[in-house]
Amino acid sequence: MAGRVAFARPHSSALPHGIEEYIVHRVMQRVDLVLDMRLREAIATVVQEQTRSIVPRLREEVESVVRHAVYEAVADELSADRTPPL
């Protein structure tokens, strides 16, 4: 077939005993490190994007909670049956 390169697996007697397992182990370690780094980067990017998208909504909610807490505190203070301080 044109354009295809076939990689022949070396005959097992051409490799020293245990080298294939060693190479596979080393390759898997490298793949694991690269995947870990890239997945962390991808997750961090998604978390940053999601955080930016919810900040306005969170700000609105905090503002609403604070406003209602102040209204309730003022109303309680005004309705309290207290004698004014001297």
Side-chain angles (χ1 to χ4, degrees):
M1 294 179 127
R4 292 192 61 169
V5 177
F7 293 101
R9 184 174 178 192
H11 193 274
S12 61
S13 64
L15 296 175
H17 179 69
I19 193 73
E20 183 176 349
E21 290 82 12
Y22 174 77
I23 291 172
V24 168
H25 177 72
R26 292 293 305 245
V27 168
M28 293 304 292
Q29 284 180 326
R30 290 176 188 268
V31 167
D32 187 50
L33 290 172
V34 170
L35 280 177
D36 183 58
M37 182 180 65
R38 294 209 177 136
L39 286 173
R40 286 177 189 269
E41 291 169 355
I43 290 169
T45 299
V46 170
V47 168
Q48 287 176 345
E49 290 170 358
Q50 292 300 312
T51 301
R52 275 195 296 271
S53 72
I54 64 170
V55 165
R57 179 72 174 127
L58 287 173
R59 187 172 287 129
E60 290 173 7
E61 287 298 318
V62 169
E63 183 180 313
S64 175
V65 167
V66 170
R67 185 180 309 113
H68 284 98
V70 169
Y71 288 158
E72 287 178 20
V74 169
D76 289 347
E77 195 61 33
L78 292 175
S79 68
D81 186 29
R82 297 184 182 195
T83 56
L86 295 175

